[in-house]
Amino acid sequence: MARIKVSEPLASPEDIEQQFYEALQRGDIERLMAVWSDDEEISCVHPGGPRVVGAAAIRAAFESIFANGAVNVHPRRSGGCRR
């Protein structure tokens, strides 16, 4: 499976999160997979679903989701940590 990477390196966790949600909103599997590590031990847990392990399994899970179109989802900000 060929992997493409985004044109610019992602500088922060916030950049990666933004790229992830933009890919979900566009239904763009290549862009979505570009934010994942190349490590085969990566895992993902979809809400209400089982743990999915490995890039191929994660890709297949998102391809199944995207078969119904893009996902209208946005991160929710909690306002930060408090001490």
Side-chain angles (χ1 to χ4, degrees):
M1 158 178 32
R3 296 206 26 158
I4 64 166
K5 290 290 181 186
V6 291
S7 58
E8 297 177 17
L10 300 172
S12 70
E14 292 79 16
D15 292 338
I16 295 168
E17 180 183 54
Q18 179 180 349
Q19 185 80 21
F20 177 79
Y21 281 99
E22 285 177 5
L24 286 173
Q25 294 161 2
R26 294 179 178 153
D28 185 339
I29 191 68
E30 298 303 330
R31 188 174 182 134
L32 183 125
M33 291 307 298
V35 302
W36 289 89
S37 168
D38 290 331
D39 185 350
E40 279 301 315
E41 296 299 316
I42 60 174
S43 63
C44 178
V45 179
H46 297 287
R51 181 173 182 249
V52 181
V53 179
I58 290 170
R59 182 184 186 94
F62 279 109
E63 284 175 336
S64 177
I65 291 169
F66 289 161
N68 296 316
V71 180
N72 184 16
V73 63
H74 303 275
R76 184 172 162 186
R77 303 286 180 226
S78 65
C81 298
R82 296 181 188 196
R83 293 180 186 215

